[in-house]
Amino acid sequence: MFRHTKLLQFEAKPERPDPVYARKLQELIGGAYGEMTVTMQYLFQGWNCRMEGKYKDLIMDTATEEIGHVEMLATMVARLLEGAPSTVTAEAVKDPVMAAVIGGMDPQQAIVAGGGAMPQNSQGVPWIGSYIVASGNLLADFRANAAAEAQGRLQTARLYNMTDDPGVKEMLRFNLARDTVHQKQWLAAIEDLKADGLESSLAPTALFDEENQDHNNTVWHLSDGPDGSKGGWSFGAEGLEYLMKPEPLGGPGTAPKPDPALYGTYAPPPVGGATALRE
């Protein structure tokens, strides 16, 4: 059960309207690493969690907070759009990047949302559910969560430097702080999973005896980086070997003869070629 409190988690009041920045801020709502993504990611992780207790509580607490972040950003976008589109064009073209693209706000913000936020990114691409990670394995999920919060904080930091509006900056300072906390909590939760004996360093903790034992500890030298001859970054790393001259282990990657009804261009392999491919 969810309940909505009619107060924002943090204030979202810009000093003045700015439809151009409103479009930029859409990235933090509906981008791949926006608040809609982490909201749905954590909700599905929580709903799918098979263990009652501290891990599920942590996921659901954070998921519910992220719903509030979407609300804050949507409110900020609506307030930044005040007075648009009738007054937007002259100001928009002062931003050469935005002027080159469209000259201001995303028109769907006016046409579809009536001057409000949209579930989409800064280019108007709709948010999609495939952005989320909810695998059921908490170690894999918590690592994905830490990465999502890192990307989200990075984008928030970039947007922080794209405005001089004190009200917008104040809200983004709060968002930066919460992204900091969430990165710390997911990294700490990973260590707790290990300490509680639920997971180790690798996910999943299965099939280690079944995997190819010749290739579970080698890092292949496949670039021209100068550190390759020194053993690469894995030099001295426990359980890793740097393979200086890796060789391909498979045959030619030739696709089979296509179905004639598909009209794919095809030439029979040279004599003996088919046999060689099969071998």
Side-chain angles (χ1 to χ4, degrees), residues 86-110:
S86 59
T87 62
V88 67
T89 305
E91 290 299 317
V93 295
K94 293 178 182 178
D95 182 324
V97 175
M98 294 302 292
V101 176
I102 196 171
M105 59 182 278
D106 187 324
Q108 283 199 330
Q109 290 174 328

Side-chain angles (χ1 to χ4, degrees), residues 22 37 52 143 209 273:
T37 293
E52 296 296 332
R143 284 177 172 161
D209 293 335

Side-chain angles (χ1 to χ4, degrees), residues 199-247:
E199 296 289 346
S200 65
S201 295
L202 299 178
T205 53
L207 302 178
F208 293 129
D209 293 335
E210 298 291 329
E211 68 189 19
N212 189 313
Q213 301 300 306
D214 294 328
H215 301 286
N216 62 3
N217 67 341
T218 55
V219 178
W220 288 23
H221 174 61
L222 295 172
S223 73
D224 292 332
D227 289 330
S229 60
K230 305 173 188 176
W233 64 269
S234 60
F235 180 75
E238 184 178 354
L240 291 177
E241 174 189 351
Y242 197 76
L243 193 60
M244 278 299 300
K245 296 182 178 180
E247 296 292 336

Side-chain angles (χ1 to χ4, degrees), residues 72 90 150 175 190 200 223:
M72 287 164 49
N175 288 10
I190 289 169
S200 65
S223 73

Side-chain angles (χ1 to χ4, degrees), residues 44 55 71-72 83 99 110 118 122 128 149 166 170 202 211 278:
F44 275 91
Y55 294 113
E71 182 181 33
M72 287 164 49
M118 297 284 291
S122 54
I128 55 175
E149 294 288 351
E170 192 65 26
L202 299 178
E211 68 189 19
R278 285 197 296 272

Side-chain angles (χ1 to χ4, degrees), residues 56-140:
K56 185 164 187 170
D57 289 351
L58 172 65
I59 299 169
M60 292 305 298
D61 277 346
T62 314
T64 308
E65 177 181 351
E66 300 293 5
I67 299 174
H69 291 182
V70 177
E71 182 181 33
M72 287 164 49
L73 286 162
T75 301
M76 179 64 82
V77 166
R79 289 170 174 171
L80 286 167
L81 288 172
E82 182 183 355
S86 59
T87 62
V88 67
T89 305
E91 290 299 317
V93 295
K94 293 178 182 178
D95 182 324
V97 175
M98 294 302 292
V101 176
I102 196 171
M105 59 182 278
D106 187 324
Q108 283 199 330
Q109 290 174 328
I111 299 167
V112 178
M118 297 284 291
Q120 61 192 32
N121 69 12
S122 54
Q123 291 298 317
V125 178
W127 183 87
I128 55 175
S130 60
Y131 289 154
I132 77 167
V133 175
S135 70
N137 180 287
L138 293 185
L139 177 59

